[in-house]
Amino acid sequence: MKQVKQIKLFVSCPGDISHELDSIKLIVDEINKTSGEQNSYVLRLISWKTDTYTQKGSDAQEVINNQIEGQYDVLIGLLWLRLGTPTKRDKSGTVEEINRALNNKEKEQLIYFKTEAPTDITKINPEELLKINEFKKDLGSKGVLYHEFSSTSKFESLFRIQLTKLIFDKLLDNDDSQNNISSNSLAEIVEDKYSHITSLIAEVENLDEKVIELDIFSSVEIAESHLNLVTTSLKSMTESMNDWTVKMESRTKEMNTINNIKDERLKISKQKTIINLLATELLDFRNRIQNELPIFSENFRKVGSSYSKVLLIAKSFSSEEVDSIQESAKSLLEGSENSLESLAVMLRSVMELPPLNFKFNKAKRETEITIKDLTFETMEGIKLLNEALKN
């Protein structure tokens, strides 16, 4: 029988974190059924609510520390709007748990800060946010790498990639012979000239048949689908940006020509016409980008997670499909990085356009917001894709 390694995860967070806890449970189940079954490990979530018992200490947090610390391998720290209740030793129970894990060389950590604004703004406490920012600075001064996310879906993509990378980099013993038979039998076979055949037979007998359910080709198709949609959307938006640049240059030349007209009334009349045309063209550009943004955003977030899953399943294999999608992902990353720089330049140029009339000013503002959203989504997608390519 295969020896299955158990990896225990302890989630430390205040009570305002809920959706991410559900996501962690789903991701743990998903990894257990795919990569875990294939690579002989299982993830188990540890909680102070279910994995501690009544005991007396200087305070409740000390009891949790004493009982939980010996149980987990990875601490997952999550903070959002609240730092949590102070303890006798630290700023909050969550902060204490995170700091103790950081000071324990036997523990691994994944630390996240949620930046999404709550739907109910009354939940925002400026004093709590100040404490959280101070904790971030404290972590940074210690050289601790933490990650921020602006939505639950983005957390899912980021957490899935980073957890699987941590498992393979730090927590799995690649030299561990998972398919060997018992040590007593092995000692007898070492002297046997047919040991290589016996080992082969044992390997077949101990093969986990659930691996059959893993479909590398289906996973590749899904990843390629997201890649293609993002690439097509990115190309369309790039064409829109190029069209707008050409039109802007053309309208600028027209305005320069109009400025030479001596008749003041005629000059103003023609200037208004050009400005209104420019406003219409600017709004058209904004609408074209706005239409592509949902497709681009949704699929870019999924590229990293789907690509990471392909690599996990195909870790023991070499195939042209995997090589091809890896090259496509690298190409997308390079193109996205170039687009990000172009977007930043375009956003700055639109922001610097002078206020002219209501129609133009409104189109300008709506375009600024749309380009800002696209820039942010591109940057977030690049981060996730970079994480996936590191695996």
Side-chain angles (χ1 to χ4, degrees):
M1 296 290 293
K2 281 186 177 182
Q3 291 184 349
V4 178
K5 180 170 184 176
Q6 189 175 78
I7 299 172
K8 298 179 180 179
L9 315 176
F10 173 50
V11 182
S12 176
C13 63
D16 60 336
I17 298 289
S18 58
H19 297 304
E20 287 71 27
L21 294 179
D22 294 334
S23 296
I24 288 173
K25 292 175 184 177
L26 291 173
I27 290 169
V28 165
D29 288 341
E30 175 191 308
I31 292 176
N32 281 338
K33 292 175 182 178
T34 54
S35 176
E37 291 181 353
Q38 184 182 8
N39 295 281
S40 299
Y41 70 87
V42 62
L43 304 178
R44 180 191 161 194
L45 286 172
I46 300 293
S47 169
W48 70 267
K49 293 180 180 179
T50 56
D51 295 281
T52 58
Y53 51 88
T54 302
Q55 191 179 39
K56 186 177 180 181
S58 62
D59 60 6
Q61 185 60 50
E62 184 183 55
V63 175
I64 293 173
N65 293 341
N66 292 337
Q67 294 185 22
I68 288 291
E69 277 192 7
Q71 296 190 51
Y72 74 84
D73 303 292
V74 181
L75 177 136
I76 302 166
L78 284 161
L79 286 162
W80 185 22
L81 301 174
R82 293 178 49 216
L83 198 65
T85 305
T87 68
K88 293 183 177 181
R89 293 157 301 278
D90 220 321
K91 297 175 182 177
S92 76
T94 298
V95 172
E96 182 172 341
E97 288 163 355
I98 291 174
N99 283 331
R100 289 176 72 92
L102 290 170
N103 292 327
N104 190 332
K105 294 182 179 179
E106 296 181 357
K107 308 297 182 185
E108 302 294 338
Q109 311 87 27
L110 292 172
I111 302 173
Y112 301 93
F113 289 89
K114 185 174 181 178
T115 60
E116 182 180 20
T119 53
D120 183 0
I121 61 173
T122 61
K123 292 183 179 180
I124 298 177
N125 184 330
E127 292 182 1
E128 285 291 304
L129 293 181
L130 182 61
K131 292 178 183 178
I132 290 172
N133 286 329
E134 288 176 352
F135 183 47
K136 286 183 184 179
K137 291 179 181 178
D138 184 47
L139 291 176
S141 67
K142 295 177 181 177
V144 177
L145 177 65
Y146 59 81
H147 294 272
E148 297 180 335
F149 63 93
S150 57
S151 67
T152 303
S153 62
K154 290 175 182 175
F155 168 74
E156 290 175 358
S157 299
L158 192 62
F159 177 67
R160 182 184 288 104
I161 291 169
Q162 293 179 337
L163 178 59
T164 51
K165 180 173 174 57
L166 174 63
I167 290 168
F168 278 96
D169 284 355
K170 296 291 187 70
L171 300 175
L172 290 186
D173 183 1
N174 295 325
D175 296 327
D176 188 21
S177 301
Q178 297 175 338
N179 293 321
N180 286 348
I181 57 177
S182 69
S183 57
N184 291 335
S185 299
L186 181 60
E188 298 172 359
I189 293 174
V190 167
E191 300 296 329
D192 192 331
K193 64 179 180 179
Y194 300 118
S195 61
H196 62 293
I197 298 176
T198 306
S199 298
L200 180 61
I201 293 171
E203 185 176 343
V204 174
E205 289 177 344
N206 292 329
L207 183 67
D208 189 346
E209 294 190 2
K210 290 184 179 180
V211 173
I212 296 171
E213 299 174 7
L214 302 177
D215 190 336
I216 180 63
F217 300 104
S218 175
S219 298
V220 166
E221 287 177 0
I222 292 172
E224 283 185 335
S225 174
H226 294 311
L227 276 169
N228 291 335
L229 285 169
V230 171
T231 302
T232 301
S233 184
L234 190 61
K235 182 179 179 181
S236 175
M237 289 188 290
T238 300
E239 290 175 352
S240 297
M241 288 189 286
N242 292 337
D243 288 345
W244 158 250
T245 302
V246 171
K247 289 177 180 178
M248 183 65 181
E249 291 174 353
S250 175
R251 296 304 178 197
T252 301
K253 290 179 181 178
E254 291 179 22
M255 287 293 286
N256 290 335
T257 301
I258 291 171
N259 287 335
N260 294 324
I261 297 176
K262 294 181 179 180
D263 187 325
E264 195 65 25
R265 292 179 62 184
L266 179 61
K267 180 166 66 175
I268 293 174
S269 174
K270 287 186 175 295
Q271 285 175 338
K272 287 181 179 179
T273 300
I274 294 298
I275 290 169
N276 287 332
L277 283 172
L278 190 58
T280 301
E281 290 166 350
L282 185 58
L283 198 56
D284 178 64
F285 163 69
R286 177 260 182 191
N287 290 337
R288 290 170 66 181
I289 297 295
Q290 190 72 25
N291 289 337
E292 289 289 343
L293 188 55
I295 301 172
F296 175 79
S297 175
E298 180 182 357
N299 286 281
F300 209 165
R301 287 199 299 267
K302 292 178 179 178
V303 165
S305 58
S306 61
Y307 174 70
S308 180
K309 185 175 181 180
V310 167
L311 290 188
L312 284 173
I313 296 175
K315 202 171 185 67
S316 303
F317 304 94
S318 177
S319 69
E320 292 182 2
E321 288 82 2
V322 175
D323 293 340
S324 174
I325 198 172
Q326 186 171 26
E327 290 304 313
S328 298
K330 289 179 180 178
S331 177
L332 174 62
L333 179 60
E334 182 179 354
S336 299
E337 288 174 339
N338 292 334
S339 295
L340 183 62
E341 294 296 333
S342 299
L343 282 168
V345 171
M346 173 160 283
L347 180 57
R348 174 58 62 188
S349 66
V350 173
M351 291 173 64
E352 291 177 350
L353 291 173
L356 299 172
N357 62 19
F358 176 76
K359 182 178 180 180
F360 178 83
N361 297 343
K362 186 172 184 295
K364 174 179 176 291
R365 180 54 182 164
E366 291 179 0
T367 304
E368 288 173 351
I369 294 171
T370 299
I371 299 177
K372 180 268 295 182
D373 291 341
L374 176 58
T375 304
F376 177 80
E377 292 297 336
T378 302
M379 188 166 58
E380 290 296 301
I382 288 173
K383 290 178 183 177
L384 294 174
L385 195 52
N386 262 314
E387 288 290 337
L389 286 168
K390 288 178 184 177
N391 281 335

